[in-house]
Amino acid sequence: MAKNSTNPFLAKNVCKPLVKDGLISQDNAKFFIKNEASLIAKFEKKHEKKDNLSLTARIYSPTTIIDIIASRNLPRIDSRPGYIDEEAIYQSLARAWGFEYKKVDPLKLDLNVATSTIPFSFAMKYLILPISVQDGVLTVTTSNPFNLEALDDVSRAGNIRVNTVVSAKKDIKKLINEFFGFKKSIAAAENQFAGPGLDLGNLEQYVKLRAEDELPQNDQHIVNAVSHIFSSAFDQRASDVHIEPKREETLVRMRIDGVLHTVYKLPKSVHNAIVSRIKALSRLDMAEKRRPQDGRIKTDKAGVEVEIRISTIPVAFGEKIVMRVMDPEILFQDLEKLGFTKPDFERYETFVKRPHGVILVTGPTGSGKSTTLYSSLRSLYTPELNITTVEDPIEMVHEDFNQIAVNPTVGITFANVLRNILRQDPDIIMIGEMRDLETAHNAIQAALTGHLVLSTLHTNDAPSAITRLLDLGIPPFLMQATLVGILGQRLVRKICEYCREPFEIKATELTRMGLETDKKGNVTLHRGKGCLKCRGTGHLGRIAAFEVMPYSETIKKLTTAQADIQEIRKTAINEGMTTLRENAILAMLQGATTHHEVARVTWASD
C-alpha cells in the first residue's frame, strides 16, 4: 500500500485508536510516529534472516508499526490484564475501521471451507482465510480489509458474496500454515489409500485381500498430520486427545478445561496409519490390535519437555487412542497456588510435614489428584530425602524421585513392589492408588515402620475414604495407628480474567440451587462474558476446591467396623472441616468461579 496520509497502517493512523482505547500513552504514540521509519528498518534487518523473509512476503505483508508495537510487550495502561499484543492492536483497529474483529477458534473452523475455497499460495500471499459459509455468504478474515482487489478475486473465484472480518496477522499466518498443511497431508494420505476396501473395525469383520496397500506409519503425510494434532493440542491447552474410529470417519476430540470438543473429522481410510504412527512413537506393538496397550511419548512444547501418555483399546470400529498430555507446568505447582484457603493450606502442611503416617488424596478421575501429589512431593524434596513412587503408569518422570512403574505382566504390582520397597531405604513413599487390600495393607505397614506414605483413593469426599478402607478390609486399629489426614478435591473452571464482569443474583435463587451463602437480598457474583481469549466460553483454566479432614482422636473413636459415614462427616465439620462445596462457594463469592460451576461440580452435604 502506498505511503500516504490515508494509509491506515501508518503510525499516526494506528496510534490514534490505540490511544483512544487506552492501550498506549500519548508519549508512546509520539515516539512511534516520530521514529516509524527507523524502527521498521531495524525490525526488518533483525528478522530478515531469523524469519527467512522472502521478497514476496515483504511486498505483500510488509512490516508496519503494528509489528513494532506488538514486539515490545508494553503493559496496557487500561484496567485490563496483560500486555499490548497483536491481537489487542487489531481489535482496536477493527473498531476504528468499522469491521468486526474475529478471533478464529480452530475448534470451530470448518477445515473444508478454510482450505478448499482458495489456494494456499493466494491465502498466504494476501493473508486471507475463509472461515465459514452461511446463507450464500462467504466470511473471510484478513489483517488488511482494505485490499479490495484480492477480496474481489475471492468473490469472483467462488461466485459468492464475501463478508470481511479482521484478525491478527500472526493468527492468520498460523492458521493458514496449519490447516492447509494438515488438509494437504490428510488428502494425500487418503488418496494413497483410496479404493473400494471396506473396514468395519473390530465389531464387524471384513476380509481385505490387499493389506499391502495400507498406508505406512512413516509416510510423510501421516507424520505431518500426527505432528499437527500434537501441536494443536498444545495450542488449545488440551489435557487429553481422543482419536475415535467410527463407521465412516474418525473423530479427533480434545478435552479443554474438562470439556470435550470435536476438533477434526478425518477420513476413516487414514485411521490405521495415524494409529500406527502414534504406536511407533510410543514404542507399542503395531501388530497387536486386539488387546489394550499403554505407552508414552516425550516431546517438546515451547522449549519445555512434555510427556504424552498413550492408551489404546479396541472398540467397535477399530482401535481408539487416548493421549493424556502431562505438562510439568501443571503437574508441578506451588502448593499455595492450587486453590487452598489459608486455614486448609496450614492444615494440609501439618499433614505432609509429619515424619510418618498415611495421607490420602481422594476424588474421581480427572479431579487433579496427581497434581496435588506431585506438587506435595516437590515441596518436600531435599537432597537429604529419598522419595520413592510406585505408579501405574508413571505420570511424569522427575529426576528428583525414584519412580517405579507397575507392570503386572512381569509380576511388578503395587503390592509386590511395596513388599520390597522398604529395603530401598525410603523416607517418603507415594503410591499411585490404593486399589486392593494387599496394596492398602502394605502401605499401612510402611507407615507403621516410620515412613510417610501418600496415596489416592477414588471416593466422593474425604470422610468416605474411611469407609472405603474398611470395605477393602483394613482393620480399624491399623487405620487409627497410621492415618494422618484425608484431602478431598474437585476441579472447577475459572472465570476468564479478560472478560470477567459482575452481576447480581438473588440469594434465594442461590439457595434453591443448594448454594447457601448466609447472605440476604441480592448477591454480587461474577461471570465471563465470553471473549477472544477464552473462545467465547467465559472460562479460562481451572482451580481446585478442597476439603481437608484431619484424622482426629474423635474420628478415630468413630472408626469401627460399623462406622457411620454421616456421623464421621458431622464430627469433621464440627471440628472445623470446610466441605468441598463450602470452599467452592467461597471461591464463587470471591469471583474465581461461577455459581453454575459450583452446582455442577460439587454437591450438598446430607
Side-chain angles (χ1 to χ4, degrees), residues 199-218:
D199 178 17
L200 298 181
N202 295 302
L203 182 66
E204 305 164 53
Q205 298 301 316
Y206 185 88
V207 178
K208 289 197 301 180
L209 300 179
R210 299 177 60 192
E212 68 272 15
D213 285 348
E214 288 197 22
L215 203 61
Q217 58 85 15
N218 59 355

Side-chain angles (χ1 to χ4, degrees), residues 389-409:
T389 75
V390 188
E391 304 170 64
D392 181 20
I394 295 172
E395 300 267 356
M396 171 63 70
V397 176
H398 194 287
E399 61 182 18
D400 290 339
F401 313 147
N402 297 294
Q403 295 169 281
I404 302 165
V406 168
N407 188 354
T409 57

Side-chain angles (χ1 to χ4, degrees), residues 315-331:
V315 293
F317 297 107
E319 278 186 285
K320 177 184 174 183
I321 286 188
V322 173
M323 301 183 284
R324 171 156 286 190
V325 181
M326 313 305 296
D327 189 339
E329 292 180 0
I330 294 174
L331 276 175

Side-chain angles (χ1 to χ4, degrees), residues 110-120 129-130 157-158 179-180 183:
D110 189 317
L111 186 65
N112 288 325
V113 171
T115 57
S116 303
T117 310
I118 57 176
F120 169 77
L129 179 67
F179 276 82
F180 274 90
K183 175 71 172 181

Side-chain angles (χ1 to χ4, degrees), residues 355-358 422 425-429 443 445-453:
H356 55 80
V358 175
L422 297 184
D425 187 29
D427 296 295
I428 298 171
I429 301 168
Q445 291 299 322
L448 283 171
T449 52
H451 303 87
L452 183 65
V453 179

Side-chain angles (χ1 to χ4, degrees), residues 229-506:
I229 291 171
F230 286 150
S231 298
S232 182
F234 296 155
D235 288 344
Q236 300 302 320
R237 303 178 296 105
S239 60
D240 300 87
V241 180
H242 295 232
I243 298 177
E244 303 177 354
K246 304 300 179 185
R247 185 181 293 273
E248 296 178 351
E249 63 186 4
T250 290
L251 299 184
V252 178
R253 302 201 292 166
M254 295 185 186
R255 189 177 296 279
I256 302 167
D257 290 338
V259 179
L260 271 174
H261 302 265
T262 299
V263 183
Y264 304 120
K265 294 181 179 179
L266 307 181
K268 183 66 182 294
S269 56
V270 303
H271 177 79
N272 287 340
I274 288 176
V275 169
S276 295
R277 173 62 181 168
I278 294 169
K279 280 185 172 183
L281 290 172
S282 51
R283 298 180 180 178
L284 298 180
D285 183 355
M286 285 184 284
E288 180 55 74
K289 300 178 186 293
R290 297 168 300 170
R291 291 188 299 181
Q293 296 187 69
D294 293 302
R296 61 196 321 119
I297 299 169
K298 181 171 280 192
T299 186
D300 177 84
K301 173 193 168 189
V304 177
E305 275 193 356
V306 174
E307 290 198 19
I308 302 172
R309 216 171 72 192
I310 309 296
S311 171
T312 74
I313 196 164
V315 293
F317 297 107
E319 278 186 285
K320 177 184 174 183
I321 286 188
V322 173
M323 301 183 284
R324 171 156 286 190
V325 181
M326 313 305 296
D327 189 339
E329 292 180 0
I330 294 174
L331 276 175
F332 297 102
Q333 299 185 42
D334 292 337
L335 276 176
E336 287 182 272
K337 295 179 181 177
L338 291 180
F340 285 102
T341 60
K342 188 176 180 182
D344 279 348
F345 178 69
E346 291 172 352
R347 211 172 279 138
Y348 184 65
E349 263 200 322
T350 63
F351 294 176
V352 296
K353 288 183 177 178
R354 292 280 290 268
H356 55 80
V358 175
I359 300 168
L360 295 175
V361 180
T362 71
T365 301
S367 60
K369 299 189 298 296
S370 296
T371 296
T372 300
L373 284 178
Y374 274 119
S375 299
S376 300
L377 292 180
R378 193 179 71 165
S379 72
L380 292 170
Y381 174 76
T382 65
E384 292 79 31
L385 288 177
N386 174 14
I387 297 177
T388 303
T389 75
V390 188
E391 304 170 64
D392 181 20
I394 295 172
E395 300 267 356
M396 171 63 70
V397 176
H398 194 287
E399 61 182 18
D400 290 339
F401 313 147
N402 297 294
Q403 295 169 281
I404 302 165
V406 168
N407 188 354
T409 57
V410 293
I412 302 176
T413 64
F414 278 116
N416 288 343
V417 170
L418 283 170
R419 278 200 297 269
N420 294 282
I421 208 171
L422 297 184
R423 291 194 284 272
Q424 289 289 313
D425 187 29
D427 296 295
I428 298 171
I429 301 168
M430 190 270 272
I431 302 164
E433 183 186 346
M434 285 192 185
R435 297 179 176 176
D436 50 47
L437 173 61
E438 193 175 4
T439 302
H441 180 77
N442 285 325
I444 285 174
Q445 291 299 322
L448 283 171
T449 52
H451 303 87
L452 183 65
V453 179
L454 290 82
S455 188
T456 68
L457 269 180
H458 285 140
T459 64
N460 282 332
D461 58 8
S464 300
I466 293 173
T467 52
R468 172 68 178 143
L469 289 176
L470 291 170
D471 289 343
L472 285 176
I474 299 298
F477 74 91
L478 284 180
M479 289 169 57
Q480 293 162 358
T482 57
L483 196 55
V484 171
I486 305 163
L487 179 74
Q489 68 179 83
R490 289 291 188 284
L491 292 177
V492 293
R493 290 184 292 174
K494 287 196 298 184
I495 297 171
C496 172
E497 62 177 327
Y498 297 96
C499 61
R500 192 166 163 267
E501 65 172 8
F503 73 100
E504 289 192 343
I505 186 172
K506 290 181 179 178

Side-chain angles (χ1 to χ4, degrees), residues 83-97:
Y83 295 90
I84 304 166
D85 55 10
E86 198 177 282
E87 189 175 284
I89 295 169
Y90 274 101
Q91 199 173 357
S92 177
L93 291 175
R95 274 195 297 270
W97 295 339

